[in-house]
Amino acid sequence: MDKIFKCSQNDNENIPAELIINTNLKFPDLHTNSKDISYISQKLKEYKKDTFCKLPFCTTVEAQAMGANINLGDEKNCPRVGNYAFDDIKDLLKISKIDLSKGRIKEVLDAISILKNKDEKVVLNICGPFTIISLLIEQKYFYKALRKDKSTIDNILKIIEDNIVDYAVGANQNGVNMISFSDPVASIEIVGPRVYKEIVGNTIKRLLNKLDDALDDTIIHLCGKTSTSLEFYGFCESEKLYYSKDITYGQAICELISKKDKGNIFIGHNCMKRTPYKTTESLLYNIKIH
């Protein structure tokens, strides 16, 4: 891969107001219970003429489960970080094993079960460790420690990685069809080439290998910017899988799900926001992590 995927999409999901008109739903409650989450996910699928129900609708669920202070927003603003929960990087070493039995993270997992019981194909959007850290503590403390105390940063990343894996396993157990992985804060444009090669690439590679070991018979879709960056720096390679130009990107993924053998498959070099549309090259990219 000789160039990095250009992404113009927002990782958060805007919920059109017309989807909740004449319902009992209201912001921000619809981010906090499984019934509303599953309802909105299904309505978004229908609204966009998509093939998948996708959830959650923001990038804050994992961080909140690890202690972040999240403002759940309103009809105009998605959930976002409030005051930072930590001001000492070493306090992140105290983050405990994620509890999937309470809070918004439980409601998201329960929403997967609700949608699967309606025979929907479901995608769980998960965030990478660098984006999660950015919601827990100001980035200046992270980068200061990255220069002076890399071992602490590595240990923090491993704690967060293991929590991400537990979340993905919970979704897998509830029947999710695909995991969609992104880590927008970890882009080369933000961290720079040196930090990406030395820290980010190795961390994401390690996390993806953990997911591969822990999950069973799952598609893992990597954000195009993530997968092309990994390949650019030699952390993975890709194989082209052609599909009919008459179907959408999402329909092509559904065909892959129905035809694939047992085991996990990583795909990438594209964006999950494109699943309702036909693409110019009609290609899936099978990503092979080194």
Side-chain angles (χ1 to χ4, degrees), residues 1-6 227-229 231-233 238 269:
M1 180 57 57
D2 57 1
K3 61 182 179 179
I4 307 302
F5 183 82
K6 299 296 183 184
S227 61
T228 54
S229 298
E231 186 167 15
F232 186 81
Y233 286 112
S238 62
H269 291 12

Side-chain angles (χ1 to χ4, degrees), residues 4-23:
I4 307 302
F5 183 82
K6 299 296 183 184
C7 182
S8 59
Q9 303 289 340
N10 188 327
D11 286 279
N12 292 313
E13 186 70 66
N14 292 320
I15 301 172
E18 54 261 46
L19 294 189
I20 62 171
I21 292 174
N22 298 323
T23 72

Side-chain angles (χ1 to χ4, degrees), residues 115-164:
L115 290 166
K116 290 303 296 180
N117 286 334
K118 296 179 179 180
D119 295 323
E120 295 286 2
K121 292 181 173 62
V122 186
V123 175
L124 176 70
N125 302 315
I126 64 173
C127 285
F130 297 94
T131 296
I132 292 171
I133 288 173
S134 76
L135 299 172
L136 294 168
I137 192 168
E138 279 191 81
Q139 288 290 274
K140 64 181 180 181
Y141 299 117
F142 173 79
Y143 284 105
K144 181 179 179 181
L146 197 58
R147 293 191 302 271
K148 297 184 176 182
D149 193 359
K150 288 184 179 180
S151 63
T152 293
I153 293 297
D154 195 50
N155 287 330
I156 291 168
L157 287 166
K158 287 176 180 176
I159 291 169
I160 294 174
E161 290 165 29
D162 289 344
N163 278 333
I164 293 169

Side-chain angles (χ1 to χ4, degrees), residues 215-264:
L215 297 176
D216 179 35
D217 200 25
T218 302
I219 300 281
I220 301 102
H221 188 289
L222 306 181
C223 156
K225 184 169 284 191
T226 296
S227 61
T228 54
S229 298
L230 289 172
E231 186 167 15
F232 186 81
Y233 286 112
F235 294 102
C236 71
E237 58 188 274
S238 62
E239 174 191 6
K240 294 179 179 180
L241 304 175
Y242 292 89
Y243 62 85
S244 170
K245 65 180 180 180
D246 297 323
I247 63 176
T248 67
Y249 184 56
Q251 289 168 335
I253 296 173
C254 286
E255 285 191 355
L256 180 65
I257 291 171
S258 65
K259 293 178 180 178
K260 80 179 190 69
D261 296 327
K262 292 289 184 181
N264 302 314

Side-chain angles (χ1 to χ4, degrees), residues 49 112 204:
K49 296 180 173 60
I112 293 172
I204 293 179

Side-chain angles (χ1 to χ4, degrees), residues 126-130 132 157-158 160-166 168 181-183 200-215 220 266 289:
I126 64 173
C127 285
F130 297 94
I132 292 171
L157 287 166
K158 287 176 180 176
I160 294 174
E161 290 165 29
D162 289 344
N163 278 333
I164 293 169
V165 171
D166 286 347
F181 174 87
S182 66
D183 201 344
V200 173
N202 284 303
T203 299
I204 293 179
K205 173 185 171 181
R206 182 174 64 201
L207 171 57
L208 296 179
N209 282 324
K210 288 180 180 180
L211 287 170
D212 196 22
D213 290 339
L215 297 176
I220 301 102
F266 290 88
I289 310 300

